[in-house]
Amino acid sequence: MPPVSDRLPVFPWDRLEPYKTTAAAHADGIVDLSVGTPVDPVPELIRRALADASDSPGYPTVWGTAALRDALTGWCERRLGARGIAHTNVLPVVGSKELVAWLPTQLGLGPGDRVAFPRLAYPTYEVGARLAGAEPVPYDDPLELDPAGLRVLWLNSPSNPTGRVLGADTLRRIVAWAREHGVLVLSDECYLELGWEAEPVSVLHPDVSGGSFEGLVAVHSLSKRSNLAGYRAAFAAGDAAVLGELLQIRKHGGMMVPAPVQAATVAALGDDAHVEEQRARYAARRTVLRGALEAAGFRIEHSEASLYLWATRDEPCWDTVGDLAKRGILVAPGDFYGPAGDRSVRVALTATDERVEAAVRRLTAV
């Protein structure tokens, strides 16, 4: 049998290693603004909840505890504006990347099916289609897609990498089109609580959904908003029929969120104060990094939300990566997110204040 990996592109981050080596050789050390992994502490109340639940010798359930489902539905009502959401409308998952990568397979897609995603996008949408043997279809405007054979439409607002936000009117039109053509909308909303110059809205909000979750699944993660990337805490919410089918499949696959992580998720979703504190950290870093990049000749595009600045000097992205690496700054080349990004770089806000200050000094040095 041919290796499954033959269906997949080269793992993009491996291509960045030589530039990471160059940046690490800087006399004052590397400033890594590439991957976007959280660096700030896990809030104490979340660590305490994890520790208190650490004596968990039995198997957790795939659907999670009732307390977890209460936390998920309550948060969706409070923060997303979703109305009438029940336990059947939520499903905890082992990190959002796992879900994105395996959803087409778990939904039964295969050859002859098509999976659409933004032309500039998180590469795992394409990976998920290829793992299932389906056809990946990048788009500029989803309303211009040919619906023939189209089974899944990925949305991503706020966008990774660009930080672009889709407004409620745009989302409403897309949802109506998808329902008309029997296309399932999967909305990656992992950065929804990190809006800066725009207020992101969920597809589950009644202004978008019309008060029905039919044909809609929103994906959320605690990695960035609560610094829980290491916990692999995420969930899906929306259409009960879709999530119920996924629940049955995931039971057979043993895709269980560990019990201590479930308890930590309950604590995290029940507290908004730590989210506001983390937002303030990122806002301050965003302000100084944006100013330094613009002073260094970069143009910032979109970037009205999320954890990244989408920057360009109107040159090939790898030239920009190489130049910044010589200054000890590592960023992500835009073509990691599709050929349309080949003249931009993604600059993450996920570095300590000290490292951000170091980047600012290097960017503004004459």
Side-chain angles (χ1 to χ4, degrees), residues 302-319:
H302 304 301
S303 304
E304 59 257 34
S306 84
L307 277 184
Y308 312 104
L309 293 169
W310 187 242
T312 181
R313 286 193 308 207
D314 295 311
E315 65 184 4
C317 61
W318 286 98
D319 290 354

Side-chain angles (χ1 to χ4, degrees), residues 104-105 107-114 129 132-135 151:
T105 298
L107 291 170
L109 272 61
D113 296 321
R114 301 164 71 230
E135 178 189 353
R151 300 286 303 282

